[in-house]
Amino acid sequence: MGSDPLKRAPVVDTPYGSSREVIPLEKGEEPPWWDFRRAPCFRETLMWSVGGATVLGGMEAIRGRPGVKVGNMFVGTFSFLAITCWGICRYDTRMRHKSVSDAMTAQNVRQQELARAAREQGPPPPAPIPK
């Protein structure tokens, strides 16, 4: 069950970042509810929230706070950063998708205008026959 990992296309690194691999589901296959790698912005949110919570929790531990307060700081910071980073990431993703959609719409309009202008102009004159 699932796609064959040997048949997947390799991940390509470009100057603009790494292309993310999309693993298509086979026909009739449902993703499990715990398949978080398909959740939008999950990786970035988790990295920022774990990193930030670790730094602040570590600072509290260095300051000599009791373990319960360090744990509370870690969990609170993790929760706050996870919610905040997820919201920011989703907003950026939505704006990126909107800009791509707007660019595609503008391109389609431009192609329609060029096609209309070519139809109005008529067929090109025949090429002269070389002597």
Side-chain angles (χ1 to χ4, degrees), residues 99-115:
S99 67
V100 168
S101 176
D102 291 346
M104 289 175 61
T105 302
Q107 179 66 25
N108 289 339
V109 168
R110 177 73 178 141
Q111 285 179 346
Q112 289 172 354
E113 289 173 356
L114 290 174

PDB file of all heavy atoms in Angstrom, residues 99-115:
ATOM      1  N   SER A  99      -0.856  35.546  -5.759  1.00  0.00           N
ATOM      2  CA  SER A  99      -0.039  36.244  -6.743  1.00  0.00           C
ATOM      3  C   SER A  99       0.208  35.366  -7.971  1.00  0.00           C
ATOM      4  O   SER A  99       0.200  35.866  -9.097  1.00  0.00           O
ATOM      5  CB  SER A  99       1.287  36.699  -6.127  1.00  0.00           C
ATOM      6  OG  SER A  99       2.081  35.595  -5.793  1.00  0.00           O
ATOM      7  N   VAL A 100       0.396  34.069  -7.771  1.00  0.00           N
ATOM      8  CA  VAL A 100       0.569  33.163  -8.908  1.00  0.00           C
ATOM      9  C   VAL A 100      -0.720  33.092  -9.714  1.00  0.00           C
ATOM     10  O   VAL A 100      -0.701  33.134 -10.952  1.00  0.00           O
ATOM     11  CB  VAL A 100       1.007  31.764  -8.426  1.00  0.00           C
ATOM     12  CG1 VAL A 100       0.915  30.744  -9.545  1.00  0.00           C
ATOM     13  CG2 VAL A 100       2.408  31.808  -7.876  1.00  0.00           C
ATOM     14  N   SER A 101      -1.851  33.020  -9.036  1.00  0.00           N
ATOM     15  CA  SER A 101      -3.139  32.980  -9.724  1.00  0.00           C
ATOM     16  C   SER A 101      -3.377  34.262 -10.510  1.00  0.00           C
ATOM     17  O   SER A 101      -3.844  34.226 -11.657  1.00  0.00           O
ATOM     18  CB  SER A 101      -4.253  32.764  -8.701  1.00  0.00           C
ATOM     19  OG  SER A 101      -5.504  32.812  -9.323  1.00  0.00           O
ATOM     20  N   ASP A 102      -3.045  35.410  -9.920  1.00  0.00           N
ATOM     21  CA  ASP A 102      -3.203  36.682 -10.621  1.00  0.00           C
ATOM     22  C   ASP A 102      -2.295  36.756 -11.850  1.00  0.00           C
ATOM     23  O   ASP A 102      -2.705  37.244 -12.902  1.00  0.00           O
ATOM     24  CB  ASP A 102      -2.907  37.857  -9.687  1.00  0.00           C
ATOM     25  CG  ASP A 102      -3.949  38.016  -8.602  1.00  0.00           C
ATOM     26  OD1 ASP A 102      -5.029  37.395  -8.721  1.00  0.00           O
ATOM     27  OD2 ASP A 102      -3.674  38.754  -7.626  1.00  0.00           O
ATOM     28  N   ALA A 103      -1.059  36.274 -11.713  1.00  0.00           N
ATOM     29  CA  ALA A 103      -0.131  36.277 -12.853  1.00  0.00           C
ATOM     30  C   ALA A 103      -0.633  35.367 -13.970  1.00  0.00           C
ATOM     31  O   ALA A 103      -0.539  35.713 -15.152  1.00  0.00           O
ATOM     32  CB  ALA A 103       1.257  35.846 -12.392  1.00  0.00           C
ATOM     33  N   MET A 104      -1.172  34.211 -13.612  1.00  0.00           N
ATOM     34  CA  MET A 104      -1.702  33.305 -14.633  1.00  0.00           C
ATOM     35  C   MET A 104      -2.915  33.914 -15.325  1.00  0.00           C
ATOM     36  O   MET A 104      -3.061  33.798 -16.546  1.00  0.00           O
ATOM     37  CB  MET A 104      -2.058  31.959 -14.003  1.00  0.00           C
ATOM     38  CG  MET A 104      -0.847  31.151 -13.608  1.00  0.00           C
ATOM     39  SD  MET A 104      -1.235  29.636 -12.735  1.00  0.00           S
ATOM     40  CE  MET A 104      -2.184  28.757 -13.935  1.00  0.00           C
ATOM     41  N   THR A 105      -3.769  34.590 -14.567  1.00  0.00           N
ATOM     42  CA  THR A 105      -4.933  35.246 -15.154  1.00  0.00           C
ATOM     43  C   THR A 105      -4.488  36.349 -16.115  1.00  0.00           C
ATOM     44  O   THR A 105      -5.017  36.466 -17.227  1.00  0.00           O
ATOM     45  CB  THR A 105      -5.830  35.828 -14.050  1.00  0.00           C
ATOM     46  OG1 THR A 105      -6.225  34.776 -13.176  1.00  0.00           O
ATOM     47  CG2 THR A 105      -7.052  36.502 -14.630  1.00  0.00           C
ATOM     48  N   ALA A 106      -3.513  37.154 -15.711  1.00  0.00           N
ATOM     49  CA  ALA A 106      -3.007  38.213 -16.582  1.00  0.00           C
ATOM     50  C   ALA A 106      -2.391  37.632 -17.852  1.00  0.00           C
ATOM     51  O   ALA A 106      -2.564  38.180 -18.949  1.00  0.00           O
ATOM     52  CB  ALA A 106      -1.984  39.057 -15.828  1.00  0.00           C
ATOM     53  N   GLN A 107      -1.666  36.526 -17.722  1.00  0.00           N
ATOM     54  CA  GLN A 107      -1.069  35.878 -18.884  1.00  0.00           C
ATOM     55  C   GLN A 107      -2.149  35.358 -19.833  1.00  0.00           C
ATOM     56  O   GLN A 107      -2.028  35.501 -21.047  1.00  0.00           O
ATOM     57  CB  GLN A 107      -0.158  34.730 -18.448  1.00  0.00           C
ATOM     58  CG  GLN A 107       0.494  33.982 -19.587  1.00  0.00           C
ATOM     59  CD  GLN A 107       1.481  34.836 -20.362  1.00  0.00           C
ATOM     60  OE1 GLN A 107       2.022  35.786 -19.835  1.00  0.00           O
ATOM     61  NE2 GLN A 107       1.684  34.504 -21.617  1.00  0.00           N
ATOM     62  N   ASN A 108      -3.196  34.765 -19.291  1.00  0.00           N
ATOM     63  CA  ASN A 108      -4.288  34.264 -20.127  1.00  0.00           C
ATOM     64  C   ASN A 108      -4.988  35.407 -20.854  1.00  0.00           C
ATOM     65  O   ASN A 108      -5.327  35.285 -22.036  1.00  0.00           O
ATOM     66  CB  ASN A 108      -5.295  33.470 -19.295  1.00  0.00           C
ATOM     67  CG  ASN A 108      -4.736  32.148 -18.842  1.00  0.00           C
ATOM     68  OD1 ASN A 108      -3.787  31.632 -19.424  1.00  0.00           O
ATOM     69  ND2 ASN A 108      -5.306  31.599 -17.790  1.00  0.00           N
ATOM     70  N   VAL A 109      -5.210  36.526 -20.164  1.00  0.00           N
ATOM     71  CA  VAL A 109      -5.837  37.683 -20.795  1.00  0.00           C
ATOM     72  C   VAL A 109      -4.951  38.201 -21.920  1.00  0.00           C
ATOM     73  O   VAL A 109      -5.425  38.518 -23.021  1.00  0.00           O
ATOM     74  CB  VAL A 109      -6.123  38.783 -19.743  1.00  0.00           C
ATOM     75  CG1 VAL A 109      -6.489  40.100 -20.402  1.00  0.00           C
ATOM     76  CG2 VAL A 109      -7.212  38.328 -18.794  1.00  0.00           C
ATOM     77  N   ARG A 110      -3.658  38.277 -21.675  1.00  0.00           N
ATOM     78  CA  ARG A 110      -2.714  38.753 -22.696  1.00  0.00           C
ATOM     79  C   ARG A 110      -2.719  37.827 -23.908  1.00  0.00           C
ATOM     80  O   ARG A 110      -2.713  38.288 -25.054  1.00  0.00           O
ATOM     81  CB  ARG A 110      -1.312  38.843 -22.092  1.00  0.00           C
ATOM     82  CG  ARG A 110      -0.259  39.253 -23.064  1.00  0.00           C
ATOM     83  CD  ARG A 110      -0.374  40.713 -23.421  1.00  0.00           C
ATOM     84  NE  ARG A 110       0.703  41.050 -24.333  1.00  0.00           N
ATOM     85  CZ  ARG A 110       0.576  41.848 -25.363  1.00  0.00           C
ATOM     86  NH1 ARG A 110      -0.557  42.456 -25.580  1.00  0.00           N
ATOM     87  NH2 ARG A 110       1.581  42.079 -26.149  1.00  0.00           N
ATOM     88  N   GLN A 111      -2.740  36.525 -23.699  1.00  0.00           N
ATOM     89  CA  GLN A 111      -2.778  35.581 -24.817  1.00  0.00           C
ATOM     90  C   GLN A 111      -4.073  35.714 -25.600  1.00  0.00           C
ATOM     91  O   GLN A 111      -4.066  35.633 -26.829  1.00  0.00           O
ATOM     92  CB  GLN A 111      -2.606  34.148 -24.309  1.00  0.00           C
ATOM     93  CG  GLN A 111      -1.195  33.824 -23.902  1.00  0.00           C
ATOM     94  CD  GLN A 111      -1.052  32.417 -23.374  1.00  0.00           C
ATOM     95  OE1 GLN A 111      -2.046  31.756 -23.069  1.00  0.00           O
ATOM     96  NE2 GLN A 111       0.176  31.949 -23.242  1.00  0.00           N
ATOM     97  N   GLN A 112      -5.191  35.935 -24.928  1.00  0.00           N
ATOM     98  CA  GLN A 112      -6.464  36.133 -25.617  1.00  0.00           C
ATOM     99  C   GLN A 112      -6.445  37.411 -26.447  1.00  0.00           C
ATOM    100  O   GLN A 112      -6.955  37.448 -27.569  1.00  0.00           O
ATOM    101  CB  GLN A 112      -7.617  36.159 -24.615  1.00  0.00           C
ATOM    102  CG  GLN A 112      -7.908  34.817 -23.998  1.00  0.00           C
ATOM    103  CD  GLN A 112      -8.924  34.899 -22.868  1.00  0.00           C
ATOM    104  OE1 GLN A 112      -9.337  35.987 -22.473  1.00  0.00           O
ATOM    105  NE2 GLN A 112      -9.310  33.745 -22.345  1.00  0.00           N
ATOM    106  N   GLU A 113      -5.839  38.474 -25.896  1.00  0.00           N
ATOM    107  CA  GLU A 113      -5.727  39.722 -26.654  1.00  0.00           C
ATOM    108  C   GLU A 113      -4.869  39.532 -27.898  1.00  0.00           C
ATOM    109  O   GLU A 113      -5.199  40.039 -28.972  1.00  0.00           O
ATOM    110  CB  GLU A 113      -5.142  40.824 -25.774  1.00  0.00           C
ATOM    111  CG  GLU A 113      -6.071  41.312 -24.693  1.00  0.00           C
ATOM    112  CD  GLU A 113      -5.396  42.282 -23.744  1.00  0.00           C
ATOM    113  OE1 GLU A 113      -4.165  42.521 -23.896  1.00  0.00           O
ATOM    114  OE2 GLU A 113      -6.088  42.806 -22.857  1.00  0.00           O
ATOM    115  N   LEU A 114      -3.757  38.819 -27.774  1.00  0.00           N
ATOM    116  CA  LEU A 114      -2.894  38.563 -28.927  1.00  0.00           C
ATOM    117  C   LEU A 114      -3.609  37.719 -29.974  1.00  0.00           C
ATOM    118  O   LEU A 114      -3.496  37.975 -31.182  1.00  0.00           O
ATOM    119  CB  LEU A 114      -1.605  37.882 -28.483  1.00  0.00           C
ATOM    120  CG  LEU A 114      -0.632  38.743 -27.688  1.00  0.00           C
ATOM    121  CD1 LEU A 114       0.539  37.897 -27.195  1.00  0.00           C
ATOM    122  CD2 LEU A 114      -0.134  39.902 -28.524  1.00  0.00           C
ATOM    123  N   ALA A 115      -4.367  36.720 -29.539  1.00  0.00           N
ATOM    124  CA  ALA A 115      -5.103  35.871 -30.478  1.00  0.00           C
ATOM    125  C   ALA A 115      -6.184  36.684 -31.182  1.00  0.00           C
ATOM    126  O   ALA A 115      -6.389  36.540 -32.403  1.00  0.00           O
ATOM    127  CB  ALA A 115      -5.714  34.687 -29.747  1.00  0.00           C
TER     128      ALA A 115
END
